[in-house]
Amino acid sequence: MSNLEPNPQEAICGGQTTAVAVAPTRDVLPGREVVIGTRGMVVNRTLPNRDRRMVGAWCFADHFGPEDVATGPGMRVPPHPHTGLQTVTWLIEGEVLHRDSLGNEQLIRPGQLNLMTAGAGISHSEESPQHRSPVLHGVQLWVALPEHDRHGEPGFEHHARLPSLTESGAAITVFVGELDGAASPARRYSPLVGAEIILAPGADTTLPLRPDFEYAALTLAGTVEVDGNSLEPGPLLYLGSERRDLAVRADGAGLALLLGGEPFDEQIVMWWNFIGRDHDEIVEVREAWMAGRGFGTVRGYDGDSLPAPPMPTSPLKPRGRQR
Ligand code: MN
């Protein structure tokens, strides 16, 4: 997916200069509605959040759907660039067709992972396939790459099989990192975890956590009780760090994501679909994309590439990882 806001603001995230919650906390962070794509599909964006820019290296979280894609073109995100990040696509319902400048063409379905590593630069398109299920529902998450890896080669992975755990009515799939002994094969560049938790009515479980990670939970369907907080689709529940376990339960059927990681100690600048380290670098990669340099070509998408929006006229001052 792409950040399709017409006037995206620069967001400065990460760095240890301000608060990583060094204790368990339960901060409910409201999401905001963002309209993406030409048909006005509305997504709920919880990262970056006004009060919490990152959770570990997770720096972007868009929840889309459930959306009727039976009529009309469905999702249509034209070719656009990325730098300095990984995109993680995870579906609950429906299908998305990915094409990238490395020549990959991959359909993704629920329970599978599409993981694209931008490194120094890649471009891709994402769209609903011609033959598709009537409903599309999923998330796209971004992971910031550390300095050591962000200038590297781009790459793409599709994982059709991922490790899962079943306990006390909860079916857990680990798509990135490791949880309770289940380790995803997905390539990662910092200590990180991402897991889907599907709860049957009455499910009641306790997940083992790492005290050195910070965590957050996001409900995608139903109502899920996380550490005593009743959480519906909408906000992100930031859980802080120094936790050894987490109670998750549900009265009815529910689905939530657990995201966590080692607090990201580098300060990053996010603008549109780019992650860099300062304003000038963002200006440079934006100009490269507009000049057709450095991001390859996506073949097979029926339509033009996305032009970059204009840069904000004045660069933002660094504000640390919390705000
Ligand atoms: Mn994208």
Side-chain angles (χ1 to χ4, degrees):
M1 298 242 301
S2 167
N3 186 348
L4 292 171
E5 289 175 282
N7 295 299
Q9 296 301 301
E10 269 181 320
I12 292 138
C13 317
Q16 299 273 19
T17 48
T18 53
V20 174
V22 291
T25 175
R26 284 176 292 191
D27 296 341
V28 178
L29 307 175
R32 63 189 173 103
E33 287 193 345
V34 179
V35 177
I36 68 158
T38 46
R39 284 180 69 246
M41 191 161 126
V42 175
V43 304
N44 176 49
R45 183 167 299 162
T46 47
L47 284 178
N49 198 285
R50 195 173 60 97
D51 296 317
R52 178 67 53 187
R53 299 287 184 178
M54 299 177 80
V55 177
W58 299 103
C59 59
F60 184 93
D62 267 3
H63 175 199
F64 50 91
E67 176 92 5
D68 176 5
V69 295
T71 52
M75 176 186 277
R76 275 186 65 75
V77 182
H80 61 277
H82 287 289
T83 59
L85 57 84
Q86 291 178 295
T87 64
V88 171
T89 307
W90 186 258
L91 299 180
I92 311 306
E93 284 181 87
E95 306 85 14
V96 170
L97 179 63
H98 158 100
R99 290 186 170 99
D100 65 40
S101 53
L102 303 176
N104 297 293
E105 181 176 321
Q106 181 67 54
L107 188 72
I108 181 176
R109 299 177 191 280
Q112 306 178 341
L113 172 69
N114 270 7
L115 177 71
M116 186 178 78
T117 301
I122 195 169
S123 56
H124 72 151
S125 64
E126 288 164 296
E127 61 188 307
S128 296
Q130 195 184 348
H131 301 288
R132 56 182 180 260
S133 308
V135 174
L136 179 62
H137 187 194
V139 290
Q140 180 155 116
L141 310 166
W142 295 356
V143 178
L145 291 173
E147 180 60 31
H148 181 263
D149 303 296
R150 73 188 186 97
H151 304 288
E153 292 293 312
F156 176 79
E157 297 172 17
H158 174 76
H159 296 280
R161 288 168 195 276
L162 291 159
S164 58
L165 306 159
T166 307
E167 41 189 293
S168 312
I172 300 161
T173 304
V174 183
F175 51 85
V176 176
E178 185 264 334
L179 185 70
D180 203 6
S184 165
R187 179 136 198 194
R188 61 177 175 77
Y189 295 87
S190 62
L192 197 70
V193 68
E196 177 197 65
I197 306 163
I198 299 177
L199 298 127
D204 191 344
T205 190
T206 302
L207 305 174
L209 300 189
R210 283 176 55 160
D212 59 327
F213 275 22
E214 56 178 346
Y215 291 92
L218 185 66
T219 293
L220 303 182
T223 303
V224 179
E225 206 178 282
V226 180
D227 189 23
N229 279 59
S230 185
L231 194 64
E232 292 183 351
L236 183 77
L237 178 66
Y238 179 69
L239 295 160
S241 60
E242 298 297 329
R243 288 176 180 268
R244 297 189 179 277
D245 52 41
L246 184 69
V248 181
R249 59 174 305 283
D251 291 328
L255 193 155
L257 297 185
L258 177 71
L259 303 176
E262 197 172 86
F264 198 73
D265 62 7
E266 295 172 48
Q267 200 162 67
I268 63 173
V269 176
M270 267 177 85
W271 180 80
W272 194 44
N273 295 305
F274 303 126
I275 293 184
R277 292 298 182 270
D278 58 40
H279 177 81
D280 292 348
E281 188 189 332
I282 299 291
V283 170
E284 214 169 277
V285 291
R286 182 193 175 280
E287 281 172 3
W289 169 249
M290 294 303 280
R293 285 185 276 111
F295 293 96
T297 304
V298 179
R299 302 198 188 280
Y301 184 84
D302 184 18
D304 293 336
S305 295
L306 276 182
M311 286 292 298
T313 47
S314 56
L316 296 179
K317 296 266 187 286
R319 289 186 293 179
R321 74 185 310 285
Q322 195 176 22
R323 282 176 191 279

